Amino acid sequence: MKDIYEWIMNGKKTGPKILMLSPTDYCNLKCKTCWRLQKGMKFSQPSAKFLLKMISEAKNMGVETIDLTGGGEPFIRKDILKIMKKVKDLGMKGIMTSNATLIDSEIIKRIVEIGWDEINFSLDGSTEKINDYIRGKGVYGKCVKVIKELQEVKKKYNSDKPLIRISFTITSKNLHDIPNFIRFVNKLGVNDVYFSVLFEWDSNKELWVDRKRKKEVNKIFDDAIKLSEKFGIRTNLKVLRKHGLWEHKPPKFCFAPWYMLFVYADGKGAMCCTLASLHKNIVGDVKSLRKFWFGKKMESIRKKMLKGEFFSGCERCLPDFTEMFNRMYDEMRKWNSKK
C-alpha cells in the first residue's frame, strides 16, 4: 500500500488497487434481500466491448484485482467466460460473486482451466428451508451441488483455484443459524465464509435485524467464532462483532478513493462499494478509466476525504473495510514518521 501512501502524502499518483465491475443488473432469482426488488429501480447490462475496455485499461493502470460483482448474476451473460479469461490473460486477480444456479459442468471445467482466483457463492442458510425462503425454491440444492462438483474438478486438475468462499447475508430469518452454518460449511469442505451485513430497503423490511437484539447477536457471533476457530474456517465474524451490523463509527481515514473504484452496469462510477450498494454519491459516467480516476470529480472527493468530511452512508461502511482502513491509517502514520 506504500504507493497509496505516497500519493496521499506526496502527491505521486497511481491507479486503483481493485476495480469492481458490475457485468449485469439482471438476475434469474428474486432474493428477498436484493435491491432489485425496490420499486422504480432500472436495470442495465454493459456491452462486452465496454467491459473488455475497462479490464484492459485497468491493467495499464496497474490494477491488481478485478471483482466482477454487483446486483445481478454474472452467468446470465453468455460471454462471461470470455470476460473472465481476459482478466486472467492480463495477469490480474479475478474475483466473482454468483448464486451458482446457472453454472453447469462445462462452465465449472472452464473456470478451473482459466485459473480464476476466487468465487463467492451466495448461500443464506445451512438448510434448504432457511436458504430457499430467502433465495427461492431449489437454490440451496443447486448451489451445494455446484460447490461439490467444483471441488471435484479442482482435485482432478490438481488446482487450488478458484478459492471457494460462501457469502452469507445476515437477516432476521437466518441469524440464529450462523453457528449451524459454520458446522455445515465444515462438512461441505469449505474453509472461507464471508458474512455480509444487510442493506435495509423498504422491500426487505421483514428481514431487518432489530437493533434491540444486539446482545443476542453478539452471543451468536461468539458461539460461531469458537466453532470457526475449532474447524479452521476463516470468517469475518470478529470484525462484525467489533463494528456491529448497523451504523458505526466511520474509519479513521477513508482510503476508498485512492484504493478502489466501482463501475455500475450502466457505466456510472462510484468511489466505493458501500456507497455503490446504497446507490449514493454516484460520481459520473466512466468512459475512460484513466480520465475518470484522475478527473476533477474524483480529485474533489479525495480533497473531501483528506479533510475528514464523510458522505451520507459512510456510517454503513462495510465493517471489513472500516477495519482495513483503520489498519492502513496506522501503518501510513508509521511509514510517514520513518521518512
Side-chain angles (χ1 to χ4, degrees):
M1 300 295 182
K2 290 182 180 178
D3 50 352
I4 293 179
Y5 306 156
E6 281 281 5
W7 185 354
I8 293 170
M9 305 303 296
N10 302 318
K12 189 178 179 181
K13 297 181 179 181
T14 186
K17 293 290 184 185
I18 180 169
L19 175 62
M20 299 175 172
L21 278 177
S22 183
T24 185
D25 285 336
Y26 294 96
C27 188
N28 59 315
L29 303 183
K30 292 184 178 179
C31 303
K32 294 179 184 293
T33 53
C34 189
W35 64 272
R36 298 171 70 259
L37 300 185
Q38 282 286 96
K39 291 181 180 179
M41 301 303 274
K42 296 180 179 180
F43 306 148
S44 301
Q45 181 164 296
S47 67
K49 182 179 179 181
F50 175 80
L51 291 174
L52 294 172
K53 179 177 183 286
M54 290 294 104
I55 292 167
S56 294
E57 287 190 28
K59 174 62 177 179
N60 292 333
M61 292 175 67
V63 170
E64 297 173 358
T65 301
I66 300 291
D67 187 352
L68 297 177
T69 186
E73 168 52 44
F75 285 97
I76 212 164
R77 295 187 66 117
K78 302 300 182 185
D79 56 4
I80 193 64
L81 289 170
K82 175 183 176 182
I83 293 161
M84 294 167 68
K85 188 173 185 301
K86 182 69 171 181
V87 173
K88 294 311 302 171
D89 285 348
L90 292 177
M92 291 181 284
K93 181 178 181 179
I95 302 175
M96 170 184 281
T97 300
S98 171
N99 63 41
T101 60
L102 298 178
I103 298 177
D104 59 23
S105 297
E106 181 59 29
I107 290 174
I108 288 173
K109 179 172 172 285
R110 293 285 292 122
I111 289 170
V112 177
E113 289 176 341
I114 287 169
W116 194 253
D117 297 280
E118 293 182 17
I119 297 187
N120 300 306
F121 289 117
S122 301
L123 201 58
D124 290 337
S126 65
T127 67
E128 182 179 11
K129 181 179 179 181
I130 297 171
N131 180 82
D132 288 4
Y133 177 79
I134 298 168
R135 295 198 162 269
K137 187 176 180 180
V139 173
Y140 176 88
K142 289 178 181 177
C143 187
V144 171
K145 180 177 181 292
V146 167
I147 291 172
K148 289 180 177 179
E149 187 173 348
L150 180 54
Q151 288 170 323
E152 290 173 1
V153 174
K154 284 172 62 178
K155 288 180 181 178
K156 179 180 177 181
Y157 279 76
N158 193 28
S159 175
D160 59 354
K161 294 182 180 181
L163 180 146
I164 298 171
R165 180 179 289 115
I166 297 180
S167 293
F168 178 111
T169 301
I170 299 171
T171 71
S172 62
K173 301 297 183 181
N174 62 10
L175 173 66
H176 68 283
D177 188 48
I178 292 176
N180 283 333
F181 196 77
I182 296 296
R183 296 185 181 96
F184 162 71
V185 297
N186 179 58
K187 291 180 180 178
L188 194 57
V190 174
N191 298 318
D192 283 82
V193 185
Y194 179 80
F195 290 93
S196 300
V197 296
L198 176 71
F199 284 113
E200 296 147 337
W201 308 98
D202 290 337
S203 58
N204 64 20
K205 275 188 176 181
E206 67 160 313
L207 302 179
W208 295 7
V209 179
D210 192 326
R211 293 155 198 259
K212 294 178 181 178
R213 298 178 68 182
K214 185 177 179 179
K215 286 185 178 179
E216 179 188 354
V217 169
N218 287 341
K219 175 64 168 59
I220 290 170
F221 283 177
D222 289 341
D223 291 344
I225 287 168
K226 289 178 182 177
L227 284 170
S228 64
E229 290 176 344
K230 174 184 176 181
F231 296 133
I233 295 172
R234 293 178 289 272
T235 77
N236 60 332
L237 284 170
K238 286 185 177 180
V239 173
L240 288 179
R241 175 71 166 79
K242 180 177 179 180
H243 296 284
L245 298 178
W246 307 279
E247 293 87 358
H248 56 84
K249 188 176 181 181
K252 299 174 186 177
F253 183 85
C254 178
F255 288 89
W258 291 270
Y259 177 79
M260 70 174 77
L261 179 63
F262 188 102
V263 181
Y264 289 92
D266 64 1
K268 297 187 183 301
M271 64 167 272
C272 78
C273 56
T274 299
L275 295 180
S277 297
L278 294 170
H279 299 274
K280 289 186 176 183
N281 304 106
I282 297 170
V283 181
D285 293 317
V286 184
K287 295 179 180 178
S288 162
L289 197 62
R290 182 174 292 277
K291 288 181 179 178
F292 185 92
W293 182 249
F294 296 116
K296 290 181 180 179
K297 289 185 178 180
M298 283 297 292
E299 282 298 305
S300 67
I301 288 173
R302 293 182 185 109
K303 289 178 182 177
K304 190 179 178 77
M305 293 296 102
L306 286 170
K307 294 177 183 178
E309 298 175 3
F310 290 96
F311 290 98
S312 170
C314 288
E315 71 280 356
R316 293 304 303 268
C317 181
L318 295 181
D320 298 83
F321 278 110
T322 298
E323 189 74 4
M324 183 177 75
F325 288 163
N326 283 345
R327 187 170 61 249
M328 288 173 65
Y329 178 73
D330 293 338
E331 185 180 88
M332 183 174 71
R333 291 184 66 187
K334 290 180 181 178
W335 172 82
N336 193 50
S337 66
K338 293 177 181 179
K339 291 186 65 180

